Amino acid sequence: MLIATDSLKKHPLAGALVTGESEEEVVFLLEQLKKWLPSAVTFMTIDFSTRLEAGVNLVFPNILVQKCVFHAIQLLTRGLLKEFTKIKKEYLLNHIKEWKALRKYTLSLEKDDLTAELSPFQFNDVELAKEIYGKLRCCVTLQDSQQIEQALLSLFSTPLFNNWEGKRVFASKYEAIFAKRNFTFSKKSIKYIVPMIYKGFRAAIREIRKKVEEKKSRFNKAKYLVLMNPVNMKPYHRRKLRKYLKEFPWLRPYRKLLVKFYYQFRVPPEKRVSLSFLSRLISDASHTWLKAAVQTLIEHEEKVFRYQCVSEKFPKVKYSKSIKVVNESVNKLVSQLYQTQCGMRTLENIRMRVSNRLDCPIIISPALVEKVK
């Protein structure tokens, strides 16, 4: 459905039930709107749809087009969310997957599944844990129990083991085998000790994996704080953001540039800077959504900030914040009506109910009529 709204009066002017937001359907609504309006249209606020803009340019070629500020901010923040999700997958989710893969691999080896294969790990700590596990297996597969004990003690004194993050958990599990269960290295007890050593190793890597999962959880909270408009932030938001930026310092450049972007909407035109600084947000490896968002904002910069010169262009028009955003409240009314779905069995019923709810004329696109036949 397409709806045209009076930005100053904040009231819908007309709407159309259409097959989609195509250029043809936009032209259909605007042509009808042009006939109904008592005066010429000089200024219009739209979102970043190219089809919508093409339709507007065909019907109203000489008007000033304002790109919705809300959609401009949404465009960039959605792109950044996609970028953060990509980063989370690469550095956190893949990290967790590797820990799980290592655990599965160790279980396969202990079941004598010689077909188990494992590709090299991306993360150094997982690769280190794999190397330690390999050395543990070399130790516990020795024939003599005393040799196993000596080999393990030698391993525990190596820099490789001492630099391992899971050392503390593994050491506590290893000591518990002998302290709590009163085991000693002997030919009889070795068959019980070895499985517990393996379990101790898996307990250690599970603990490390939990830390990564907790970090992922904190990152999920951090990314939304990074995207927040400073104007809307409360003191506790700022405290949390500072805390998260210490943990994820690589988020600082994103935050700095985003704050600068938000600031451009609060300063007068003479103090505003070009949005070209947003290009620093992207690289060759960036998510395509973020690249597209930055490129779109830079290309349409003049139209995004056109609301700042309304007073100069139209001295008789009293400035209103509503001219810089598309009125989304009308869409909420339509959504509420759709959820009830009372009597919406035919296009005519839908047209009548939406028209009554919005208090404006609603027309039906011929293409839609043809489609539902």
Side-chain angles (χ1 to χ4, degrees):
M1 184 172 183
L2 297 173
I3 303 172
T5 307
D6 186 330
S7 296
L8 295 175
K9 295 180 180 179
K10 301 179 183 179
H11 188 273
L13 297 171
L17 299 175
V18 294
T19 56
E21 198 179 88
S22 64
E23 184 179 334
E24 294 76 16
E25 298 286 35
V26 172
V27 169
F28 167 72
L29 171 61
L30 294 181
E31 288 285 5
Q32 297 300 318
L33 183 65
K34 192 175 183 180
K35 296 175 185 177
W36 296 337
L37 292 176
S39 57
V41 177
T42 54
F43 188 90
M44 188 176 291
T45 305
I46 61 174
D47 59 24
F48 286 82
S49 169
T50 54
R51 292 164 295 183
L52 182 58
E53 186 172 9
V56 170
N57 290 334
L58 279 173
V59 181
F60 301 105
N62 299 318
I63 67 167
L64 286 177
V65 174
Q66 160 72 40
K67 292 290 187 178
C68 175
V69 170
F70 168 78
H71 284 90
I73 294 172
Q74 185 186 62
L75 185 67
L76 183 60
T77 53
R78 279 185 176 177
L80 283 169
L81 271 178
K82 287 288 183 181
E83 178 73 2
F84 293 158
T85 302
K86 175 176 174 286
I87 292 171
K88 181 179 76 172
K89 182 178 184 298
E90 290 175 356
Y91 296 101
L92 295 173
L93 293 179
N94 286 350
H95 199 176
I96 293 168
K97 282 182 180 179
E98 287 196 353
W99 282 119
K100 289 180 177 179
L102 177 60
R103 178 184 180 277
K104 186 177 179 181
Y105 176 70
T106 62
L107 288 169
S108 299
L109 289 181
E110 288 157 32
K111 291 176 182 177
D112 295 326
D113 182 3
L114 301 178
T115 60
E117 294 182 3
L118 201 61
S119 56
F121 288 115
Q122 174 189 351
F123 297 92
N124 293 333
D125 56 348
V126 187
E127 192 64 39
L128 173 62
K130 177 189 172 186
E131 188 178 349
I132 289 172
Y133 179 77
K135 291 188 178 297
L136 276 175
R137 280 187 65 83
C138 290
C139 293
V140 299
T141 51
L142 294 172
Q143 297 298 319
D144 185 65
S145 59
Q146 297 303 316
Q147 288 180 337
I148 293 174
E149 182 180 13
Q150 291 301 319
L152 287 172
L153 291 174
S154 298
L155 173 62
F156 298 158
S157 62
T158 59
L160 179 74
F161 183 82
N162 288 320
N163 292 331
W164 181 39
E165 189 180 352
K167 170 191 170 183
R168 182 186 58 80
V169 175
F170 178 81
S172 66
K173 297 291 183 182
Y174 181 79
E175 290 168 4
I177 296 173
F178 306 100
K180 292 184 179 180
R181 299 178 182 271
N182 296 321
F183 278 118
T184 58
F185 276 99
S186 64
K187 189 174 182 180
K188 188 176 181 180
S189 63
I190 199 68
K191 64 179 180 180
Y192 302 106
I193 294 174
V194 170
M196 285 189 278
I197 289 175
Y198 286 146
K199 285 182 181 179
F201 174 81
R202 278 190 288 276
I205 64 173
R206 182 172 63 247
E207 192 68 25
I208 300 171
R209 192 190 77 223
K210 281 183 179 179
K211 289 181 181 178
V212 181
E213 289 171 344
E214 289 168 1
K215 188 175 183 179
K216 183 195 75 172
S217 178
R218 292 193 298 273
F219 177 75
N220 285 335
K221 297 174 183 176
K223 66 182 181 182
Y224 290 107
L225 285 174
V226 168
L227 297 177
M228 277 189 77
N229 190 329
V231 175
N232 301 328
M233 295 186 80
K234 305 294 182 185
Y236 68 90
H237 287 137
R238 299 180 190 279
R239 286 195 298 271
K240 285 186 176 181
L241 179 59
R242 284 195 294 268
K243 176 184 173 183
Y244 288 136
L245 289 179
K246 285 181 181 178
E247 184 175 4
F248 307 104
W250 53 269
L251 282 174
R252 289 181 183 274
Y254 290 102
R255 179 60 183 172
K256 186 177 179 180
L257 291 172
L258 193 56
V259 168
K260 187 175 180 179
F261 173 70
Y262 283 126
Y263 182 68
Q264 305 312 308
F265 296 99
R266 295 160 50 198
V267 297
E270 60 273 13
K271 291 187 178 181
R272 183 167 51 81
V273 298
S274 170
L275 293 184
S276 58
F277 67 84
L278 291 176
S279 59
R280 283 183 274 163
L281 285 171
I282 58 176
S283 64
D284 293 338
S286 295
H287 196 281
T288 52
W289 279 38
L290 181 58
K291 289 180 181 178
V294 169
Q295 183 180 354
T296 302
L297 288 171
I298 292 174
E299 287 177 0
H300 296 90
E301 178 181 354
E302 183 185 351
K303 293 178 181 178
V304 171
F305 294 99
R306 189 160 275 169
Y307 67 91
Q308 294 179 332
C309 61
V310 169
S311 301
E312 297 175 10
K313 299 282 185 181
F314 311 104
K316 294 182 180 180
V317 176
K318 186 178 179 181
Y319 173 76
S320 171
K321 289 183 179 180
S322 59
I323 65 172
K324 64 181 182 179
V325 294
V326 174
N327 189 353
E328 296 287 341
S329 61
V330 176
N331 295 338
K332 291 181 181 178
L333 292 176
V334 175
S335 297
Q336 290 171 3
L337 189 62
Y338 171 76
Q339 288 168 8
T340 58
Q341 297 182 1
C342 295
M344 291 191 176
R345 294 183 179 86
T346 65
L347 287 177
E348 186 56 35
N349 279 335
I350 296 172
R351 186 202 66 76
M352 179 188 69
R353 288 184 175 275
V354 174
S355 179
N356 289 339
R357 186 65 182 268
L358 300 183
D359 191 23
C360 72
I362 302 294
I363 54 179
I364 303 173
S365 161
L368 181 61
V369 174
E370 189 66 29
K371 186 177 181 179
V372 298
K373 277 184 179 179

